[in-house]
């Protein structure tokens, strides 16, 4: 019997669709799931799509594979992944590969990679993005692990990944946890992007009083320009959906509590460790958190807000309304540039801290297709990083600097309108504050330093000469050099 090129264990949404994708590309796939019913369901419904070898046990799966063996793990992240690794590792030989395609924390991946390396097994922590449809039709794939493992695994993954302009959305990211690290930041950016989209929707709804269907038209229009992206496209679809049970827009029926599985929070936790300001991602995580605090929200429900209806162009003022819609579009684009710039900053800092040498241009290239944050815009990011002298921050790349300059008046009007109308827009506001902070000639951080020195003798540096200083606040208030 032909040996399978790869085995997949864990056949829920992602594993089953990746197995089908592999089979559709002509690769024989051995499939296994802890509960047999998923294996049976896959074979029954999709067995005709290619060559599958159904396996009851890890032993059977390993026996079905060609050497070196490649086992793709697609199970719940955390303890289940460790359990599955421990089931498979004793069955493998030096040179074989265990590939974790789940949303693992990159520090777990580093730990697992080091432990399995000692046993001669390649552990490849791989980011996979694209959800159910991407897994089947072509995801964006971000493998970490050794270069050697990529030589044996890369061609297979590149084959099933999405393609943009004939280029596969899969590349070797860097050693050990690099793949899962960039997937984590991808998800952080995904959180920020979705929060900004939600704020844009909310402003159009609350300030202009537009219906979800009308806003869907706006998003459809925006999807034809520089904002063109998967998330903008599906926003139009979600907003157009009508609830069959009530006849109301589905978005009005869904409970307004956004959940999270953890990758956004991990991104912010890691950014705090690295000292990288990812305020757009952090606000998005906190906005989900606020939405879920039902008790707090209930307690605060009757606090005073602005008097009367939001200051908005009246229904008859077509031009004024169109101007506000355009303001929101520009604010969304500018804030999105900030969120991506912050995410790429974190990747640069993480790469330096953990010694990975991640290529941001190559990353932008593989995020152009297959993944949830895929967007026309990523081509601009790729171009920025492929310049002879790449920018320190994406904000100063000529194309983005120009876009921010064009957007800034609209952006300021939108943030001011939101504040005046009492519509929360934490994503837009923090993005603008970040932009203005970086632009500022002088920040009030000087006063913070003064206060720290006053109460804790924490010292400060001066801007006019070298050295470290302390003012004798409780003495004669002269300055000493320390
Ligand atoms: N859903 C998505 O859009 C995306 C998910 N991911 C990640 O991919 C991975 C798979 O996701 P998804 O397909 O949604 O599935 P789930 O995260 O819902 O995980 C379900 C799978 O995990 C298996 N499993 C759970 N615990 C164990 C265990 N202790 N031992 C063995 N198997 C176990 C289940 O087996 P059983 O059937 O026996 O219960 C089932 O196959 C996750 O890490 C997820 O974070 C990545 C990108 C996108
Ligand atoms: O990895 C993904 C997409 O890229 C998953 O869909 C992930 O679950 C999304 O995160 P959350 O559930 O926290 O919104």
């Amino acid at each position: 019997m032909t040996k399978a090129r790869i085995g997949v264990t864990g056949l829920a949404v992602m594993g089953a669709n990746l197995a089908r994708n592999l089979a559709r590309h002509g690769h024989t796939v051995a499939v296994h799931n802890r509960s047999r019913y998923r294996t049976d369901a896959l074979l029954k419904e999709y067995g005709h799509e290619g060559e599958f070898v159904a396996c009851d046990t890890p032993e059977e799966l390993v026996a079905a594979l060609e050497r070196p063996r490649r086992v793709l793990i697609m199970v719940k992240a955390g303890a289940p992944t460790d359990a599955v690794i421990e089931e498979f590792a004793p069955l493998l030989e030096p040179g074989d590969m265990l590939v974790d395609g789940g949303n693992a924390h990159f520090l777990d991946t580093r730990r697992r990679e080091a432990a399995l390396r000692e046993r001669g097994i390649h552990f490849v922590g791989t980011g996979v993005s694209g959800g159910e449809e991407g897994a089947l039709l072509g995801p964006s794939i971000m493998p970490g692990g050794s270069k050697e493992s990529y030589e044996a695994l890369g061609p297979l993954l590149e084959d099933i990944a999405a393609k943009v302009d004939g280029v596969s959305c899969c590349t070797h990211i860097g050693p050990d946890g690099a793949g899962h690290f960039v997937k984590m930041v991808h998800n952080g950016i995904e959180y920020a992007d979705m929060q900004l989209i939600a704020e844009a929707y909310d402003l159009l709804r609350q300030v202009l009083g537009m219906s979800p269907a009308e806003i869907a038209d706006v998003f459809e229009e925006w999807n034809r320009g520089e904002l063109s992206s998967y998330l903008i496209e599906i926003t139009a679809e979600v907003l157009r959906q009508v609830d069959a049970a009530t006849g109301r827009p589905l978005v009005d029926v869904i409970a307004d509590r956004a959940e999270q599985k953890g990758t956004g929070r991990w991104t912010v936790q890691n950014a705090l460790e690295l000292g990288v300001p990812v305020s757009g991602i952090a606000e998005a995580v906190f906005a989900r958190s606020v939405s879920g605090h039902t008790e707090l929200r209930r307690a605060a429900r009757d606090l005073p807000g602005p008097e009367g209806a939001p200051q908005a162009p009246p229904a008859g003022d077509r031009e004024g309304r169109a101007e506000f819609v355009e303001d929101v579009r520009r604010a969304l684009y500018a804030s999105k540039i900030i969120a991506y710039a912050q995410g790429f900053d974190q990747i640069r800092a993480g790469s330096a801290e953990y010694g990975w040498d991640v290529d941001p241009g190559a990353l932008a290239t593989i995020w152009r297709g297959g993944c949830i944050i895929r967007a026309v815009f990523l081509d601009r990011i790729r171009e920025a990083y492929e310049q002879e002298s790449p920018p320190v921050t994406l904000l100063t790349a000529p194309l983005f600097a120009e876009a921010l300059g064009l957007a800034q008046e609209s952006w300021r009007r939108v943030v001011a309108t939101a504040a005046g109308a009492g519509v929360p827009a934490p994503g837009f506001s923090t993005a603008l504050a970040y932009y203005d902070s970086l632009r500022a000639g002088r920040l009030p951080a000087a006063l913070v330093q003064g206060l720290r020195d006053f109460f804790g003798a924490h010292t400060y540096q001066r801007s006019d000469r070298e050295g470290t200083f302390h003012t004798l606040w409780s003495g004669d208030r002269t300055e000493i050099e320390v």
Side-chain angles (χ1 to χ4, degrees):
M1 198 179 78
T2 326
K3 290 277 188 185
R5 286 208 74 193
I6 186 164
V8 180
T9 183
L11 300 175
V13 176
M14 293 300 284
N17 283 293
L18 284 170
R20 289 175 61 197
N21 186 348
L22 284 157
R24 286 172 168 203
H25 278 83
H27 308 292
T28 304
V29 194
V31 287
H32 166 261
N33 192 73
R34 176 180 64 176
S35 320
R36 173 73 198 208
Y37 78 95
R38 288 197 201 268
T39 317
D40 292 339
L42 174 65
L43 269 288
K44 186 166 173 243
E45 267 194 80
Y46 305 109
H48 61 279
E49 290 185 341
E51 293 285 327
F52 293 98
V53 183
C55 305
D56 263 331
T57 61
E59 288 78 1
E60 270 185 37
L61 183 92
V62 169
L65 299 174
E66 67 179 33
R67 286 186 168 87
R69 302 180 183 94
R70 305 172 187 91
V71 179
L72 174 58
I73 303 170
M74 290 306 302
V75 303
K76 273 193 197 309
T81 303
D82 279 317
V84 171
I85 291 170
E86 272 323 305
E87 270 184 306
F88 278 89
L91 308 174
L92 300 176
E93 291 171 354
D96 289 346
M97 283 155 267
L98 264 178
V99 185
D100 175 18
N103 275 335
H105 195 292
F106 76 96
L107 293 176
D108 284 337
T109 304
R110 298 194 99 190
R111 167 179 60 76
R112 289 166 182 152
E113 197 273 340
L116 287 162
R117 192 170 354 115
E118 290 205 347
R119 293 155 83 170
I121 296 164
H122 294 288
F123 184 71
V124 183
T126 300
V128 179
S129 180
E132 183 174 6
E133 191 185 276
L136 180 63
L137 302 177
S140 177
I141 309 183
M142 301 150 241
S146 66
K147 274 198 182 131
E148 198 186 336
S149 64
Y150 193 78
E151 274 161 29
L153 189 67
L156 199 58
L157 299 181
E158 287 175 20
D159 194 28
I160 63 159
K163 312 283 179 306
V164 175
D165 301 334
V167 179
S168 175
C169 292
C170 170
T171 192
H172 183 227
I173 302 296
D176 62 81
H180 275 141
F181 181 85
V182 300
K183 175 67 201 307
M184 175 188 79
V185 179
H186 164 284
N187 281 21
I189 294 172
E190 175 183 304
Y191 274 53
D193 216 338
M194 286 161 63
Q195 175 63 24
L196 294 169
I197 286 173
E199 288 176 21
Y201 151 76
D202 204 26
L203 282 161
L204 298 182
R205 187 98 196 251
Q206 300 216 45
V207 176
L208 292 188
M210 293 172 77
S211 70
E214 286 169 331
I215 302 171
D217 290 342
V218 169
F219 273 86
E220 219 169 84
E221 177 63 33
W222 288 355
N223 199 37
R224 287 193 270 272
E226 61 195 0
L227 276 171
S228 174
S229 63
Y230 173 69
L231 284 170
I232 294 282
E233 178 191 325
I234 65 170
T235 299
E237 294 202 34
V238 172
L239 290 177
R240 224 180 273 296
Q241 185 72 14
V242 172
D243 174 46
T246 59
R248 295 169 59 201
L250 181 68
V251 72
D252 286 350
V253 178
I254 297 176
D256 63 344
R257 294 186 298 275
E259 294 178 4
Q260 47 186 316
K261 290 197 178 133
T263 45
R265 186 172 60 243
W266 294 347
T267 309
V268 178
Q269 286 169 338
N270 172 260
L272 291 172
E273 293 293 330
L274 294 172
V276 181
V278 293
S279 47
I281 299 170
E283 282 298 350
V285 173
F286 285 132
R288 289 195 192 189
S289 171
V290 167
S291 78
H293 275 280
T294 317
E295 261 188 50
L296 274 179
R297 291 176 62 191
R298 201 180 301 120
R301 187 76 190 87
D302 294 327
L303 288 174
E307 295 288 328
Q311 289 285 315
D317 179 4
R318 286 169 63 96
E319 213 173 292
R321 292 170 71 81
E323 273 170 20
F324 185 70
V325 172
E326 177 59 8
D327 276 352
V328 173
R329 188 193 70 78
R330 288 183 177 196
L332 176 55
Y333 189 54
S335 305
K336 184 175 161 121
I337 292 172
I338 302 289
Y340 281 65
Q342 293 182 341
F344 273 88
D345 266 356
Q346 182 169 355
I347 287 165
R348 180 189 39 73
S351 176
E353 174 72 18
Y354 309 113
W356 287 328
D357 203 18
V358 175
D359 175 349
L363 191 58
T365 304
I366 67 160
W367 283 353
R368 292 179 309 164
C371 62
I372 304 297
I373 65 168
R374 64 184 180 262
V376 162
F377 168 78
L378 277 151
D379 233 355
R380 308 286 91 80
I381 296 182
R382 177 186 62 78
E383 284 162 17
Y385 282 121
E386 284 175 358
Q387 296 303 309
E388 223 171 285
S389 40
V392 175
T393 161
L394 281 175
L395 306 194
T396 59
L399 200 93
F400 295 130
E402 192 192 346
L404 290 165
L406 273 176
Q408 64 146 334
E409 277 184 31
S410 295
W411 199 5
R412 293 181 196 287
R413 272 196 297 271
V414 167
V415 170
T417 304
V423 177
F428 284 167
S429 311
T430 199
L432 183 58
Y434 178 79
Y435 176 73
D436 284 333
S437 296
L438 290 194
R439 274 186 342 95
R442 228 176 127 65
L443 287 169
L447 177 56
V448 173
Q449 283 296 80
L451 295 171
R452 291 179 69 243
D453 190 55
F454 187 104
F455 64 69
H458 291 302
T459 74
Y460 51 87
Q461 264 94 50
R462 297 178 58 100
S463 47
D464 55 357
R465 62 181 199 270
E466 292 293 310
T468 300
F469 302 90
H470 169 57
T471 290
L472 300 169
W473 295 105
S474 47
D476 63 1
R477 302 207 166 183
T478 55
E479 184 181 75
I480 56 168
E481 188 161 0
V482 291

